[in-house]
Amino acid sequence: MFNKKLIILLMVTLLAMTLVAGCSGDKAPEGDVADNGAEEQLVIGFSQVTLDSPFYVALMEAAEAKADEMGAKLVYVDAQNDIAKQNKDVQDLITRGIDILLLNAVNPSGVAPAIKAAEEAGIPVIAVDRPAQGEVATFVGRDNKAMGKLAGELAVDLLGGVGAAEGKVIEIQGAAGGQVMMDRRDGFHEPLEQEAGVEIVQSPYADYVRANAVTAFQDLLQANPDVNLVYAHNDDMALGAYQVLEQNDMLGDVKIIGVDGLMEAIQKMETGNYHGTVLNDPGYLGEVAVETALGVLDGEEYPEFVDAGTSLITPDNAADYINPDLVFASKQ
Amino acid sequence: MQPAVDSKQSEVKQSSKFWDVFKRYNLLILILLFVALAASLSPKFLTVQNFLNLLQQSSVIGIVSIGMTFVIIVAGIDLGVGSVVAFAGMIAAVLLAGGHGLVISIGVALLAGMALGSINGFLTTKAKVPAFIVTLAMMVAARGLALLVTDGRPVFNLPAAFNWLGAGFIGPFPVSGLLWLLITLIAVLVLTYTTFGRSLYAIGGNAESARLSGIRVERNIIIVFAISGMLSALAGVVLASWLTVGQPTAAKGLELDAIAAVVLGGTNLFGGSGGVLGTFGGVWLMAIITNIFNLLGLSSYYQMIFMGLIIVAALILNQFVANRD
């Protein structure tokens, strides 16, 4: 009796949940693209590090759209941050038959088996977003050190300008030991090291996660109530700091800089209390990756590193980037 | 050891008295020890503001840990809590962003969490799959659901009214912290004074003899998992409200923190004993440790090492005290 009721209840709730999930997703079904049959379509394989972050989802979708536009087909696999799965995935792609492989490596040296397998099958490999060691045609990515440097230069500006900058800085760092974290740190430190009056008082790690950043920054703000600027390795964490300052009625007293060009952060710039972010447009990166892939297949030569570029977004130019439909701002 | 002054008997009595007190309050003593240590290390620690911050910061893990305590008392485990937190937060955020009211959005999120919890309970009892496996599967599946809701995108620009739950204050007290205290109180009352609550200890102690004594074991286990799912969902709503964003990747690894808090609080992982007050203390202990590390500006590598050492040391102490008759 009770069981019957329970089962019905479960069914109904599950149905309701499916509806909720269904209404909000607006993903087009996997393309049954009409074959024009005139020529064989080129197939680009894309092994993606993970699809549980909006950045990589945006990268993926832009690459797909670009491939469509250029008459190629893109098939992708999701390594779910697991290096073993990534090597298996690539093997599956090769078995399935691809002309070129875009590879966003879980880690640079762990993908050696995948790269070797591609090489044996005569398939060129392009590293995307994260570098990969071994025989790759080129690496399409961004210079995170340059991004950190842009943030550092802005910090010097906000603290009084070159040669006169003064103040205490808290740096909220990403994931300990990661390449991106080290680059965004080192690049940021470069301009600051020239300034005798600037001191980085604390550098907690918050794993790029907002909740961790809020907790850490709440504690650190008590320990350093006289902090002048907070720089976070991504906007999500910087928004965590923003929120803590808001709660303490200190917005405006402390300058905030993030990285990534998260739309939520750019919208906050209108209040004048979020002072800068550095563009890290995943969509454009995806487009460049696909263009490069088709170029390589056409026999074009590419340098070792294809830079998808970056730029600084501040309250002065924020209006140009605002587009509520995007998660990350796109290159203008 | 000191040479015995009194007769042997009274010494035994004395020492057993000390151990009785210590056994009962060892967690409290441990917390006070850390508080004293922290206060001596940093003048910023023993401030009202700091403790109010801790109350707010810990409310999410605190609420999740209450549900986890129920599950562990019946000798189960719930590894799905972190994913359910994320999923419920996404459901609430999407509904709110879609212009639905607070009550509807939060209500649906709580129901969703309860449903996922019921599925856990149902599979462990009816299909006889170990809770560890069932909830591990739920951890993966619910994370998938959380990502599916918006194709992995975070949902922001939530209505300001929603922000009150996670970031608002009543007087000087954070709303989320008060909510955590309230649920703790209710949970203590349920476990101590209701037939249902007391039956959980019997089930965790020995499910078979509980069944023979007329307790509806399977039903109660399903309810316990449903409670855990619903409290995780509530924690997810609080988290989304606190951060003013629904994130499908939120609360990764939260299940392990919750289990650590429950075990630190003296609840036996094999079921049958423990309680929510202990868990409450366990959450505070972990919060105080991280907090003092941050106030001192200790590098986070050392923080990780010390955290591990302290958890192990506290557990050894718990064991040592529990085994002393």
Side-chain angles (χ1 to χ4, degrees):
Chain A
M1 184 65 230
F2 165 71
N3 284 346
K4 239 187 204 156
K5 268 193 206 155
L6 189 76
I7 291 171
I8 290 168
L9 179 74
L10 280 183
M11 294 271 180
V12 171
T13 332
L14 273 177
L15 189 67
M17 277 163 28
T18 321
L19 287 178
V20 170
C23 296
S24 51
D26 54 351
K27 208 177 155 116
E30 286 303 316
D32 290 320
V33 189
D35 253 334
N36 50 16
E39 52 177 305
E40 190 64 27
Q41 227 186 359
L42 284 173
V43 181
I44 304 168
F46 195 158
S47 169
Q48 181 62 284
V49 58
T50 175
L51 284 176
D52 80 355
S53 117
F55 182 88
Y56 293 118
V57 173
L59 171 57
M60 203 74 247
E61 285 173 346
E64 251 184 323
K66 188 76 191 173
D68 257 1
E69 184 193 316
M70 297 177 77
K73 183 173 164 56
L74 187 127
V75 288
Y76 64 84
V77 281
D78 171 12
Q80 293 167 6
N81 269 319
D82 177 346
I83 190 69
K85 184 173 186 303
Q86 183 157 46
N87 285 305
K88 280 188 290 204
D89 284 346
V90 170
Q91 193 59 63
D92 292 345
L93 282 176
I94 293 168
T95 308
R96 183 177 167 168
I98 52 174
D99 297 296
I100 189 159
L101 174 68
L102 297 176
L103 178 63
N104 186 356
V106 172
N107 75 56
S109 51
V111 285
I115 291 176
K116 195 161 176 293
E119 199 183 355
E120 280 169 4
I123 295 167
V125 180
I126 295 175
V128 178
D129 184 55
R130 299 181 180 193
Q133 277 169 14
E135 278 304 303
V136 294
T138 178
F139 167 40
V140 181
R142 280 203 173 84
D143 184 345
N144 277 292
K145 212 164 166 177
M147 288 156 78
K149 196 170 167 191
L150 282 176
E153 285 162 355
L154 176 65
V156 170
D157 262 0
L158 290 168
L159 293 172
V162 176
E166 275 187 7
K168 289 188 171 175
V169 177
I170 289 178
E171 179 178 16
I172 304 176
Q173 307 199 82
Q179 191 58 47
V180 171
M181 168 245 129
M182 291 193 260
D183 287 347
R184 288 184 185 183
R185 175 195 62 198
D186 297 345
F188 179 73
H189 287 197
E190 230 172 272
L192 264 64
E193 275 160 5
Q194 312 303 318
E195 304 295 328
V198 176
E199 184 198 358
I200 297 179
V201 287
Q202 289 273 333
S203 322
Y205 291 97
D207 284 334
Y208 300 111
V209 175
R210 189 180 310 192
N212 300 355
V214 171
T215 304
F217 193 68
Q218 228 161 17
D219 294 352
L220 295 178
L221 190 61
Q222 289 183 84
N224 310 278
D226 54 346
V227 62
N228 306 100
L229 184 139
V230 55
Y231 161 65
H233 288 184
N234 74 354
D235 282 323
D236 201 41
M237 297 192 293
L239 285 162
Y242 179 96
Q243 172 178 334
V244 173
L245 291 168
E246 190 172 34
Q247 270 181 17
N248 286 285
D249 287 329
M250 287 175 69
L251 273 183
D253 304 350
V254 183
K255 307 278 191 276
I256 305 172
I257 304 175
V259 178
D260 273 356
L262 200 63
M263 193 55 69
E264 194 182 348
I266 295 172
Q267 287 178 333
K268 285 268 193 285
M269 285 184 190
E270 290 178 331
T271 66
N273 295 319
Y274 196 103
H275 302 83
T277 180
V278 183
L279 190 70
N280 187 17
D281 175 8
Y284 184 68
L285 182 64
E287 287 172 16
V288 175
V290 168
E291 281 167 5
T292 310
L294 295 174
V296 167
L297 287 176
D298 273 351
E300 281 177 47
E301 285 292 318
Y302 284 93
E304 217 169 288
F305 176 55
V306 176
D307 190 349
T310 180
S311 62
L312 192 64
I313 305 174
T314 60
D316 300 336
N317 63 356
D320 306 343
Y321 290 93
I322 289 202
N323 173 356
D325 298 338
L326 292 175
V327 178
F328 291 92
S330 70
K331 197 181 162 88
Q332 294 303 302
Chain B
M1 277 312 295
Q2 283 177 307
V5 186
D6 296 332
S7 73
K8 213 170 184 172
Q9 203 164 11
S10 83
E11 192 190 307
V12 168
K13 226 177 180 166
Q14 278 290 330
S15 93
S16 77
K17 211 176 198 168
F18 165 77
W19 281 109
D20 278 350
V21 172
F22 195 75
K23 194 167 170 171
R24 253 199 99 153
Y25 297 108
N26 82 53
L27 183 69
L28 191 62
I29 292 168
L30 207 62
I31 290 175
L32 292 175
L33 199 75
F34 271 102
V35 167
L37 185 71
S40 67
L41 288 171
S42 166
K44 304 214 159 49
F45 178 78
L46 264 187
T47 60
V48 172
Q49 189 53 52
N50 190 43
F51 275 79
L52 291 174
N53 280 350
L54 285 181
L55 190 64
Q56 186 182 44
Q57 288 170 11
S58 310
S59 55
V60 172
I61 170 90
I63 293 169
V64 168
S65 301
I66 294 168
M68 185 70 80
T69 311
F70 277 76
V71 173
I72 291 180
I73 286 174
V74 298
I77 192 94
D78 190 347
L79 300 177
V81 291
S83 299
V84 174
V85 163
F87 176 57
M90 286 305 291
I91 295 271
V94 163
L95 290 174
L96 285 162
H100 296 272
L102 282 175
V103 177
I104 299 254
S105 309
I106 296 173
V108 172
L110 294 185
L111 276 177
M114 206 157 91
L116 293 180
S118 310
I119 293 170
N120 282 335
F122 201 75
L123 291 172
T124 35
T125 54
K126 305 289 175 193
K128 302 271 184 273
V129 188
F132 188 92
I133 306 296
V134 169
T135 59
L136 189 64
M138 182 58 76
M139 173 174 148
V140 180
R143 182 66 63 183
L145 283 172
L147 289 159
L148 182 72
V149 175
T150 56
D151 282 344
R153 292 183 186 81
V155 182
F156 49 93
N157 291 342
L158 303 177
F162 178 60
N163 191 231
W164 181 79
L165 184 65
F169 288 85
I170 299 176
F173 299 103
V175 177
S176 56
L178 291 174
L179 186 66
W180 173 31
L181 292 174
L182 177 71
I183 297 168
T184 302
L185 182 70
I186 294 171
V188 169
L189 295 176
V190 166
L191 281 176
T192 323
Y193 297 110
T194 66
T195 331
F196 166 75
R198 287 198 298 267
S199 81
L200 300 184
Y201 290 97
I203 294 169
N206 185 333
E208 195 46 42
S209 54
R211 199 188 324 276
L212 293 173
S213 64
I215 294 171
R216 297 175 69 178
V217 174
E218 291 191 346
R219 186 197 68 159
N220 288 4
I221 289 180
I222 293 172
I223 292 174
V224 160
F225 276 101
I227 290 173
S228 178
M230 193 186 72
L231 288 178
S232 300
L234 180 63
V237 170
V238 170
L239 182 68
S241 148
W242 180 44
L243 301 178
T244 61
V245 64
Q247 288 176 311
T249 51
K252 280 194 170 165
L254 188 74
E255 50 284 332
L256 295 180
D257 288 340
I259 293 168
V262 173
V263 174
L264 272 179
T267 297
N268 186 337
L269 263 182
F270 299 102
S273 74
V276 171
L277 270 185
T279 300
F280 184 74
V283 173
W284 272 101
L285 188 60
M286 284 168 73
I288 287 169
I289 294 168
T290 326
N291 177 243
I292 189 64
F293 285 163
N294 280 334
L295 291 180
L296 288 175
L298 186 69
S299 126
S300 66
Y301 300 150
Y302 288 110
Q303 288 198 19
M304 295 175 193
I305 298 168
F306 281 131
M307 194 73 185
L309 287 175
I310 288 167
I311 288 176
V312 170
L315 288 183
I316 290 172
L317 184 74
N318 275 351
Q319 279 301 329
F320 177 71
V321 174
N323 294 340
R324 238 193 116 88
D325 286 320

